[in-house]
Amino acid sequence: MKIYDYLIIGAGSAGCSSAYFLHKEGKSVALVDREGIAGGASGAAGAFLSPLPGQKNIYNSLVNNALDFSLDFYQELLPEAVDKKGVLRVANDNFDEDKLSQNSIKYDYFDSKKLHDISKNFREIEGYFYENAAVIEPIQICNKLTKGCDFYKMDVKELVYKDGFYIVDNIKAKNIILAQGVSSSLVEIPYMKISPIFGLRVDVKSTTKVPFNIHKAISISTNKQDGTLSIGATHERHDSAKMECLTTCDKCSFYVKGDDEQVKSLLKQADELIKLENLEVVKIYKGARATIKSYFPVIGKIVDYESSLKKHPSIQNGTKIPQEDLEYYPNLHLINALGSRGFVFGPYLANILTKNILHNEPIPQEISTGKLFYKMARKSKF
């Protein structure tokens, strides 16, 4: 039975990034996943790295700080898997002209004439160009992140904790990090309600040269180094109370049909932005991204909800109990709810989590497990 310092359950962007930073600190690390490295939503992701416009607030500051960190990180880690050419954002219902123009991020305004000067294939559109944006190759990145770590393909159904170790099949680990995305958690975390959001990505070939990423309701990548373009969108939120993710979306009965209509809609929306000549669909990817209601990601030690309320029932009345005095599952951490920004958040959050675990550096309250615990505990009648 092999013993590791850390066993990470889930090998998407969150899990692979966590493996990288822990291994870099000299820890022995293994990952397990039922599908493989980047075998789920992360491998299906369009992997667009873009800033979040709008007047400065806690959430877009988090996104944009993560973007700066992760773009630099990927360019140093594997430059050949990164195409950094910026993004043109076209106004839509969620991001209107005011929100795109009145924000704290530097941009250039491109009217239709300027876009036609860049490429005659642009439709009659205008938009806001942000230089600090890229598209990456997710599977290449995840494989690079996990170099030096062991990987086991298995579907973990339960965790057994005995004599200071977690036991999973023939693996023993001193610590566990849950990076499970939309899959059912292996421990009770009632204060974190994951909602899967379905995403679709189509890789295509075209003789059109797309000078930079384009985003409206859907995203179109620049021509990548393998000659393809990625076209992607997030389509719908599931009701997680009614659906449990037991496999990847490409095998799920909910999505096994309807490819033609989904792809047709995606390509139609892309054509409204730029004419893609001699278009050929190469591959279709599907994936469910994990989010919570607030859209913030979540990292940190996993609070034992029931034990904490039994020990400190006054929390329900608003008493401020220090986070370090709560009850936690032993040596158990999580990194989850990265949503459609998995590769923006992945390295940034994994670095924070690693520093917290190994060096006791604090986790920002807005992304901590503690914040969600307190929010639910103060509303509950335990």
Side-chain angles (χ1 to χ4, degrees), residues 13 31 58-59 68 74 80 93 106 142 144 158 160 180 283 324 358:
S13 171
L31 300 96
I58 295 175
Y59 184 69
D68 290 343
Y74 292 132
E80 62 268 31
D93 291 342
K106 183 181 176 182
C142 285
K144 182 70 172 180
E158 66 174 345
V160 176
Q180 296 176 267
K283 193 169 182 180
E324 61 269 21
L358 299 182

Side-chain angles (χ1 to χ4, degrees), residues 16 19-20 23-24 31 141-150:
C16 293
Y20 174 87
H23 179 69
K24 188 179 178 182
L31 300 96
I141 290 288
C142 285
N143 283 328
K144 182 70 172 180
L145 287 170
T146 54
K147 187 176 181 181
C149 304
D150 290 340

Side-chain angles (χ1 to χ4, degrees), residues 94-153:
N94 289 328
F95 282 88
D96 59 20
E97 297 282 347
D98 287 345
K99 198 167 187 178
L100 288 173
S101 62
Q102 299 175 20
N103 69 81
S104 59
I105 309 171
K106 183 181 176 182
Y107 66 85
D108 290 311
Y109 174 70
F110 288 4
D111 61 18
S112 58
K113 181 181 182 303
K114 183 164 186 175
L115 288 173
H116 285 153
D117 289 342
I118 294 170
S119 170
K120 299 298 183 186
N121 286 67
F122 276 110
R123 302 301 189 184
E124 292 299 318
I125 61 172
E126 54 190 31
Y128 299 81
F129 180 76
Y130 301 89
E131 187 177 70
N132 199 35
V135 61
I136 65 171
E137 292 293 344
I139 294 175
Q140 290 181 37
I141 290 288
C142 285
N143 283 328
K144 182 70 172 180
L145 287 170
T146 54
K147 187 176 181 181
C149 304
D150 290 340
F151 175 75
Y152 301 87
K153 187 175 181 179

Side-chain angles (χ1 to χ4, degrees), residues 11-253:
S13 171
C16 293
S17 296
S18 299
Y20 174 87
F21 285 101
L22 288 166
H23 179 69
K24 188 179 178 182
E25 291 267 7
K27 303 302 178 183
S28 59
V29 181
L31 300 96
V32 299
D33 193 286
R34 66 183 176 214
E35 298 294 336
I37 300 288
S42 290
F48 296 95
L49 279 65
S50 300
L52 184 59
Q55 301 217 0
K56 193 170 184 179
N57 57 45
I58 295 175
Y59 184 69
N60 64 23
S61 294
L62 172 68
V63 171
N64 295 326
N65 288 338
L67 175 68
D68 290 343
F69 179 93
S70 296
L71 259 177
D72 290 344
F73 173 80
Y74 292 132
Q75 288 179 303
E76 184 174 342
L77 177 79
L78 196 64
E80 62 268 31
V82 182
D83 288 284
K84 185 184 177 185
K85 296 178 183 175
V87 63
L88 179 78
R89 292 206 57 149
V90 180
N92 61 17
D93 291 342
N94 289 328
F95 282 88
D96 59 20
E97 297 282 347
D98 287 345
K99 198 167 187 178
L100 288 173
S101 62
Q102 299 175 20
N103 69 81
S104 59
I105 309 171
K106 183 181 176 182
Y107 66 85
D108 290 311
Y109 174 70
F110 288 4
D111 61 18
S112 58
K113 181 181 182 303
K114 183 164 186 175
L115 288 173
H116 285 153
D117 289 342
I118 294 170
S119 170
K120 299 298 183 186
N121 286 67
F122 276 110
R123 302 301 189 184
E124 292 299 318
I125 61 172
E126 54 190 31
Y128 299 81
F129 180 76
Y130 301 89
E131 187 177 70
N132 199 35
V135 61
I136 65 171
E137 292 293 344
I139 294 175
Q140 290 181 37
I141 290 288
C142 285
N143 283 328
K144 182 70 172 180
L145 287 170
T146 54
K147 187 176 181 181
C149 304
D150 290 340
F151 175 75
Y152 301 87
K153 187 175 181 179
M154 66 174 74
D155 189 2
V156 180
K157 297 295 187 183
E158 66 174 345
L159 293 176
V160 176
Y161 186 69
K162 184 178 179 181
D163 299 328
F165 288 92
Y166 284 96
I167 301 170
V168 176
D169 200 30
N170 288 321
I171 304 168
K172 290 177 74 173
K174 298 174 184 176
N175 305 273
I176 296 283
I177 295 179
L178 299 183
Q180 296 176 267
V182 297
S183 298
S184 297
S185 177
L186 293 170
V187 296
E188 288 292 325
I189 313 177
Y191 46 89
M192 188 178 74
K193 304 291 186 182
I194 292 291
S195 295
I197 296 184
F198 173 66
L200 178 69
R201 164 187 157 204
V202 180
D203 281 359
V204 302
K205 289 183 178 179
S206 171
T207 54
T208 298
K209 299 303 179 186
V210 181
F212 35 69
N213 297 345
I214 310 166
H215 179 79
K216 191 178 178 183
I218 59 108
S219 295
I220 306 168
S221 79
T222 183
N223 305 80
K224 297 187 288 184
Q225 294 179 31
D226 65 359
T228 64
L229 304 164
S230 287
I231 305 172
T234 299
H235 278 287
E236 58 187 287
R237 182 187 292 269
H238 295 327
D239 180 347
S240 57
K242 297 179 181 177
M243 174 172 283
E244 182 181 5
C245 290
L246 300 173
T247 186
T248 52
C249 290
D250 60 315
K251 300 174 185 176
C252 178
S253 59

